[in-house]
Amino acid sequence: QVQLVESGGGLVHPGGSLRLSCAASGTIFSVYYMGWYRQAPGKQRELVAGITSGVSTNYADSVKGRFTISRDNAKKTVYLQMDSLKPEDTAVYYCNTYPVAHWGWGQGTQVTVSS
């Protein structure tokens, strides 16, 4: 059974940065395309960024130029570097396969951007 553990969230001021991590276990991680998703209060979960099993990446328009997704297959971990954070980035962030989430969701990590 695949387990996903997200970490790295927190409270940050507008314009600040955070780096999220998602560690996977119970799967051959390297073959899967991976993505970061987020869900803000009262809104549906949305895809934020995706990365192929290689190095190709894709971003939602709302985060393009500010967020960077990367992965370390040896550590079975996917990262999301978030810069120039805005209040509208406030959400719980999750990782899963991309472009369709095939695995069960982890607990997520809360990101709050507020002054």
Side-chain angles (χ1 to χ4, degrees), residues 19 22 29-30 51 70-79:
R19 188 190 192 210
C22 171
F29 177 79
S30 61
I51 186 167
S70 61
R71 65 191 297 161
D72 185 333
N73 289 333
K75 295 182 178 180
K76 294 187 177 182
T77 300
V78 60
Y79 304 97

Side-chain angles (χ1 to χ4, degrees), residues 38 48 59 63 65-68 80-83 85 89 93:
R38 68 185 180 188
V48 173
Y59 299 93
V63 307
R66 300 188 298 120
F67 290 11
T68 304
L80 186 67
Q81 176 67 41
M82 305 188 296
D83 299 315
L85 282 161
D89 295 318
Y93 284 71

Side-chain angles (χ1 to χ4, degrees), residues 91-115:
V92 180
Y93 284 71
Y94 305 85
C95 71
N96 212 306
T97 53
Y98 152 83
V100 176
H102 289 297
W103 299 332
W105 296 99
Q107 84 288 348
T109 186
Q110 175 71 48
V111 172
T112 303
V113 185
S114 175
S115 55

Side-chain angles (χ1 to χ4, degrees), residues 29-47:
F29 177 79
S30 61
V31 303
Y32 290 98
Y33 291 18
M34 293 297 297
W36 280 97
Y37 301 76
R38 68 185 180 188
Q39 187 167 21
K43 295 187 176 182
Q44 289 191 330
R45 195 167 345 211
E46 61 174 350
L47 177 67

Side-chain angles (χ1 to χ4, degrees), residues 8-27:
L11 173 63
V12 63
H13 293 309
S17 298
L18 284 172
R19 188 190 192 210
L20 307 184
S21 299
C22 171
S25 61
T27 184

